[in-house]
Amino acid sequence: MLATTRRAALLSVLATGGLAAFGTAKARETGSVAAAVDKYAQEVMAGLPDQPGLGVCVVENGEITLAKGYGVKRLGAPARCDENTIFGIASNTKAMTAAALAMLVEEGKVEWDAPVARYLPDFAMSDPVVTKLMTVRDLLVHRSGLTLGAGDLMIWPAPTHTRAEIVAGLKYLPIGSQFRGGYAYDNVLYVAAGEVVAAVTGKPWEDFVQTRIFDPLGMTDTTPTPAKVDKNRRAEPHCRLGPPVRGMGPQTVLPFDDSFASAAAAGGVNTTPADIGKWMRAQLAQGALPNGNRLWSEATAREMWKPQTITTSSDGPTAENPARPSMQAYALGWFVQDHRGERLLWHTGGLAGFISYTGLLPGRRSGIMVMTNAEENPVLRALRYGGPDRLQGRSDYDWIASSKRVQAEADAQAIKDAAEAATPKAGGKAPSLPLDAYVGVYRDPWYGTVTIGKAKGKKAKGLTVSFDKTPALQGKLELFDGETFKTVFDDRTQEDAFITFDVAGGAVTSALLKAVSPLADFSFDYQDLRLTRLP
């Protein structure tokens, strides 16, 4: 089965003028940059040995010169990662969604600066003025006024919301800042962007990217949604589940989440080191294919790379961070910044147990893609800075040591913050009402309902909690401090939340939430919930 798959991939590559350096057994490394990156990837794996597996691809002056796997697919198992191992690339998908819209713009079916409501008549934000002004371009550039990760509980972890429900929920998400007044990363508007693709083409987003991007590029081992991944070839996800909090403690294998279909346009793509190079090569060629055809024009490529929303600025490089950019912005599906004097296009991606990075230096027609099967920030940091360095022919800074130091400092702060969060401010006093008074159904219009119940069984005591649209978020609700309770989800891979109930006139009326852990991913956006108790 594996040999057949590799043969098909090789034939596809040759048919599209692709990687001539491929052998039948493994990828061969050619070129000075490929050799430097290969050596460095091995150094990262040796210096940060808790990382299970890694996939790396290098495009060098327009040619794929490295596609390789490192480490193992699953801790404790012998199967090695190779150039055909499948990894989730999460938000690196966003550039593909932007490209899909760009192709439709070229065809005259979509306009970047037309109102979203032209293509999605029921589209609405919570502010009618924002609804009227929101354009297709605005969906992609993180300047909507939504707060960081707003609405992500509709897409993570494994909820049952449909795409239509996610888009419908937008009108209830609070606007946290001025429209087009600043940067705050979101995912839900990329779901809406995918629905624009579907509305104007009559086919789902995943069908469009499959037939218009993956197929022409010969990306035979790339899937637009996790549910289509070949289980025999995928890397298994890993993370640290504590103690004291997720992100610390020993490495643990996670279940593979194949339920991300509704939000696929924001982060659903899974691919291999061998396949992703074809996408990188097309980007660096400004849409041109090796056979002379084009996916999009040079003008469209420049439009996708043009900065739209400033994300940060600084005084530039320091001794501690010689690659610190003086300016960083978000374009259409890409971040854009300077890296040691050159323009760098990049993006990261993260889902449960997978983090990834793409970095392109257009001036060199070179790039690097890193895919990992663990939530190991030092590994990604070392490669996201050290990788572009090697594309430039330099290795004058120890990013591995730097990343270890940065992580140690972050861990020390996290331990302190976690201890503070776990300490009741009022000494752990009892709630003001009997537990039965908190039982009921609470609703936020963008998410849905959260049910507080009584534990069942002869020996069961206390309360239970159920995020009714998210099967993974169910479990116990424990006393913490007065009107604040703490979830203890049955699925211990999920982030717990504090739920603080509002009491008026001797009755519970509403509740607010926040994540317990100071390291909780922003996609656990409990803080955006405004739960009102239903009659």
Side-chain angles (χ1 to χ4, degrees), residues 264-282:
V269 170
N270 283 245
T271 189
T272 69
D275 246 15
I276 197 63
K278 303 164 193 176
W279 161 252
M280 296 164 61
R281 185 175 55 189

Side-chain angles (χ1 to χ4, degrees), residues 203-473:
K203 61 176 65 175
W205 170 89
E206 54 266 40
D207 289 356
F208 185 88
V209 297
Q210 181 68 55
T211 58
R212 296 293 302 276
I213 297 177
F214 299 159
D215 290 349
L217 289 173
M219 296 175 69
T220 55
D221 293 327
T222 298
T223 63
T225 62
K228 296 183 178 182
V229 169
D230 182 346
K231 296 180 180 179
N232 296 317
R233 297 175 52 208
R234 73 187 185 204
E236 298 298 328
H238 301 73
C239 81
R240 302 174 188 271
L241 294 177
V245 292
R246 180 171 177 152
M248 304 180 72
Q251 202 74 263
T252 302
V253 182
L254 297 178
F256 183 83
D257 183 3
D258 62 359
S259 62
F260 206 69
S262 291
V269 170
N270 283 245
T271 189
T272 69
D275 246 15
I276 197 63
K278 303 164 193 176
W279 161 252
M280 296 164 61
R281 185 175 55 189
Q283 280 285 333
L284 290 163
Q286 297 182 307
L289 300 180
N291 61 11
N293 294 332
R294 279 192 165 273
L295 294 182
W296 54 83
S297 68
E298 290 185 19
T300 291
R302 290 192 293 270
E303 186 70 19
M304 287 191 284
W305 295 352
K306 185 168 63 179
Q308 304 285 329
T309 306
I310 295 175
T311 62
T312 187
S313 62
S314 76
D315 293 331
T318 65
E320 293 76 23
N321 186 354
R324 188 174 73 159
S326 57
M327 190 281 291
Q328 181 187 100
Y330 203 87
L332 301 180
W334 294 99
F335 288 92
V336 185
Q337 68 176 64
D338 52 294
H339 179 92
R340 301 206 189 218
E342 296 184 46
R343 179 174 55 158
L344 173 71
L345 304 171
W346 66 275
H347 214 290
T348 55
L351 283 172
F354 293 103
I355 53 177
S356 55
Y357 167 79
T358 310
L360 306 178
L361 293 175
R364 295 175 182 263
R365 295 180 64 227
S366 298
I368 182 172
M369 176 71 176
V370 177
M371 297 174 277
T372 81
N373 63 341
E375 299 171 13
E376 291 294 281
N377 290 325
V379 170
L380 197 71
R381 184 179 184 275
L383 286 161
R384 69 175 288 185
Y385 292 116
D389 270 7
R390 279 151 183 81
L391 295 181
Q392 295 177 323
R394 65 169 72 235
S395 57
D396 56 349
Y397 189 77
D398 190 344
W399 291 108
I400 299 173
S402 170
S403 297
K404 287 181 177 179
R405 182 171 63 253
V406 168
Q407 189 63 43
E409 293 171 355
D411 286 349
Q413 186 63 48
I415 290 171
K416 179 180 177 182
D417 292 345
E420 182 178 349
T423 303
K425 300 298 185 291
K429 70 178 184 179
S432 62
L433 300 175
L435 291 185
D436 285 355
Y438 300 86
V439 172
V441 178
Y442 300 75
R443 183 176 183 273
D444 185 292
W446 68 260
Y447 170 79
T449 58
V450 174
T451 299
I452 307 299
K454 292 192 68 175
K456 297 178 180 179
K458 293 182 179 180
K459 297 183 179 180
K461 296 180 180 180
L463 300 177
T464 62
V465 59
S466 170
F467 286 66
D468 296 326
K469 299 282 286 184
T470 312
L473 300 182

Side-chain angles (χ1 to χ4, degrees), residues 33 39 120 254 275 426 477 479 524:
V33 170
K39 179 175 181 290
L120 302 177
L254 297 178
D275 246 15
L477 191 63
L479 300 175
F524 288 97

